[in-house]
Amino acid sequence: MKNTTPHHHPKFGEFSSYLERFQSGLHDILARHPEIETRNHLQGLSAYLVRKIHETTPLSVFIPEEFGGWGGRPKESLSLVEAAAYESLSVGLTFGINSALFLDPVKKYADHKVREEVLRKFVDEKAMGGLMITEPDFGTDALSMQTVYQKVAGGYTIQGSKHWGGLTGLANFWLVAARKERENGKISRDLDLFICDMNDAEQRIEVTEFYQKLGLFQIPYGRNEVDIKVPETHRLIPQTSGIKMMMDSLHRSRLRLSGIGLGFIKRILDEATTHCRERIVGKKALLEYDQVQYRLAEIQAFFTLTSGLCLYASENTPLDTDLSGEGIQANAMKAILTDMMQEAAQSFMQLVGANGFRRDHIAGRAIIDCRPFQIFEGTNDVMYAQVSEM
Ligand SMILES: Cc1cc2nc3c(=O)[nH]c(=O)nc-3n(C[C@H](O)[C@H](O)[C@H](O)COP(=O)(O)OP(=O)(O)OC[C@H]3O[C@@H](n4cnc5c(N)ncnc54)[C@H](O)[C@@H]3O)c2cc1C
């Protein structure tokens, strides 16, 4: 998405030039280090490559101006993840995890002092954050999670098992979801979110296994045992209930996935069009075949639809809006968007032929890397079922 109104940052300059600098820098790093996408980085990229990707301090786009960032405007946030996802879906998702799953809830619901301390670190120290909701026995049924917390002198203790938190072992901060264990041993229905600082020994979450993931090679995933103590001020403060706070955050995240989807589908459209112009089969360019044109037209339609979803997200997801009741829009958009991403990738691979079936070709990678988007942040089967019941 192009920005029309100029926006200037005292340190980083004008936004559209900043965005171009970020994107061309990312493009160069990926060209110089193809192993970023072709090797399975179980524990994440090396510190050197993470530093290179974050050289322009891209996460500053999500940070309020008073803490050194760009202000977290929805349109600019979507533009950044779009640019990142055009170059690499994993980088786009990494930024999405940081912004929608960690920074937005912290900006909106954290204690003021903790909020400032944490957010400044995303600009000054290029810190990263993620969200742990899913447990080995409770994924879709997250509200039945068994991670519990208890109020103790000076804070809260939290115990449980989590897995599949994006940036496992790499994030400097986590938001961990847990339910209150009452004195009679029963677990309350509502849940809470706690900020955990991995630089503090008492708050550190242990990684017991790094997963051999199928795609998104640069993002580490795994299993975590949570047995920590956090200060009282690290509990996010819900406006009504913890579940509503989580739904507000998840709905905003689902709506803003459209930025990642737009960059991803635009890249597929560009690559597929170039390929079909240049590839000669039976003495004519692929582009001249009806079936090929049908596939390209469908990818073009996905691009147009995703642009519309992105526009909707840019206008309807400011942080001060309560999105906890926006299930129809968020769930429908998330499921349709991620199904379009997968269909676009499947068509692209068909058009490329055998060469697409290589990890170092963007077509094969695209299919695998976008597949979990249909599963995480609300599995699509359940998203469709919920929309039909609303
Ligand atoms: C790459 C990746 C990244 C992830 N990132 C994160 C993260 O950052 N933080 C985090 O907390 N979690 C994350 N997750 C976990 C993700 O959110 C869960 O995998 C998801 O919620 C589904 O839970 P589950 O895998 O336990 O599947 P299950 O709950 O066992 O469901 C499996 C399947 O059963 C079907 N199903 C389940 N319930 C119903 C129903 N009610 N009606 C119809 N069908 C149903 C669906 O098809 C569903 O896909 C990630 C997962 C992946 C793969």
Side-chain angles (χ1 to χ4, degrees):
M1 282 202 317
K2 293 274 174 275
N3 274 285
T4 42
T5 18
H7 177 200
H8 194 268
H9 185 284
K11 184 170 164 203
F12 302 123
E14 202 272 314
F15 186 75
S16 56
S17 331
Y18 171 77
L19 191 61
E20 271 169 32
R21 255 195 337 272
F22 158 73
Q23 188 168 354
S24 68
L26 178 58
H27 184 89
D28 287 351
I29 297 159
L30 291 163
R32 249 181 287 134
H33 297 278
E35 75 277 10
I36 290 178
E37 301 279 28
T38 56
R39 234 179 260 159
N40 202 341
H41 306 273
L42 286 197
Q43 301 190 27
L45 294 177
S46 66
Y48 169 76
L49 288 173
V50 172
R51 248 196 335 272
K52 292 299 283 176
I53 291 171
H54 288 251
E55 202 154 75
T56 52
T57 324
L59 299 187
S60 64
V61 171
F62 310 120
I63 303 295
E65 286 172 13
E66 73 233 69
F67 306 138
W70 283 92
R73 299 177 182 188
K75 193 170 166 183
E76 291 177 352
S77 301
L78 285 158
S79 300
L80 177 75
V81 292
E82 178 201 340
Y86 185 90
E87 301 301 331
S88 160
L89 188 58
S90 295
V91 177
L93 179 59
T94 298
F95 290 1
I97 293 167
N98 274 282
S99 62
L101 299 184
F102 182 82
L103 290 168
D104 282 347
V106 167
K107 283 190 280 183
K108 186 161 178 177
Y109 296 107
D111 164 270
H112 266 66
K113 197 159 165 287
V114 174
R115 175 174 173 264
E116 171 165 1
E117 278 166 19
V118 171
L119 296 182
R120 279 197 186 283
K121 289 193 176 160
F122 278 71
V123 179
D124 300 342
E125 298 171 23
K126 301 185 181 173
M128 287 201 281
L131 172 67
M132 290 186 190
I133 295 178
T134 308
E135 300 182 359
D137 292 330
F138 300 94
T140 308
D141 186 18
L143 296 184
S144 301
M145 67 178 63
Q146 294 298 303
T147 298
V148 290
Y149 73 87
Q150 286 174 320
K151 180 83 190 70
V152 293
Y156 299 94
T157 55
I158 310 171
Q159 279 102 19
S161 301
K162 297 285 183 186
H163 75 162
W164 281 109
L167 302 175
T168 291
L170 189 64
N172 309 84
F173 292 98
W174 286 99
L175 273 180
V176 172
R179 293 159 73 200
K180 183 174 183 177
E181 185 171 22
R182 298 209 191 97
E183 276 163 19
N184 62 8
K186 291 209 168 127
I187 306 178
S188 74
R189 277 165 58 94
D190 202 14
L191 57 81
D192 279 283
L193 293 169
F194 296 88
I195 299 172
C196 312
D197 181 349
M198 295 308 99
N199 276 326
D200 183 317
E202 277 199 323
Q203 302 177 44
R204 199 166 300 141
I205 297 168
E206 196 193 341
V207 183
T208 51
E209 182 186 355
F210 283 100
Y211 288 164
Q212 284 282 357
K213 68 230 173 235
L214 190 60
L216 297 169
F217 277 177
Q218 57 181 284
I219 306 180
Y221 289 98
R223 182 173 171 133
N224 298 275
E225 292 309 320
V226 183
D227 188 3
I228 57 172
K229 183 178 174 197
V230 298
E232 200 165 340
T233 49
H234 280 215
R235 177 177 160 262
L236 297 194
I237 308 155
Q239 285 159 2
T240 51
S241 69
I243 292 179
K244 277 200 163 172
M245 171 174 68
M246 188 173 80
M247 292 324 295
D248 173 44
S249 305
L250 286 181
H251 286 165
R252 184 168 291 96
S253 177
R254 285 174 194 163
L255 291 165
R256 292 210 189 160
L257 278 178
S258 53
I260 300 179
L262 187 61
F264 176 77
I265 290 175
K266 185 167 193 298
R267 175 70 180 272
I268 286 183
L269 179 59
D270 289 350
E271 296 278 349
T273 307
T274 304
H275 172 76
C276 294
R277 277 208 187 102
E278 292 173 357
R279 176 71 174 165
I280 306 295
V281 178
K283 294 193 179 145
K284 59 180 183 177
L286 269 186
L287 198 56
E288 292 180 41
Y289 290 93
D290 283 353
Q291 178 65 13
V292 169
Q293 286 172 15
Y294 174 81
R295 284 191 185 277
L296 284 176
E298 189 179 52
I299 299 173
Q300 261 171 343
F302 291 156
F303 173 69
T304 308
L305 282 165
T306 307
S307 304
L309 299 182
C310 219
L311 178 65
Y312 181 88
S314 77
E315 290 174 349
N316 293 283
T317 59
L319 208 54
D320 56 2
T321 309
D322 177 10
L323 299 176
S324 61
E326 304 295 302
I328 291 195
Q329 294 88 327
N331 298 355
M333 273 177 63
K334 187 270 172 184
I336 289 168
L337 170 80
T338 55
D339 281 359
M340 287 193 295
M341 289 166 73
Q342 180 62 209
E343 270 186 67
Q346 291 285 353
S347 243
F348 178 31
M349 172 128 171
Q350 198 67 35
L351 292 169
V352 170
N355 281 342
F357 192 62
R358 293 171 51 158
R359 180 69 208 182
D360 59 357
H361 194 290
I362 188 170
R365 203 159 66 227
I367 289 182
I368 297 302
D369 286 356
C370 81
R371 185 64 179 86
F373 282 70
Q374 295 170 299
I375 295 169
F376 60 56
E377 294 220 17
T379 180
N380 282 9
D381 286 4
V382 172
M383 296 293 94
Y384 285 123
Q386 284 181 353
V387 168
S388 69
E389 285 160 10
M390 277 169 177

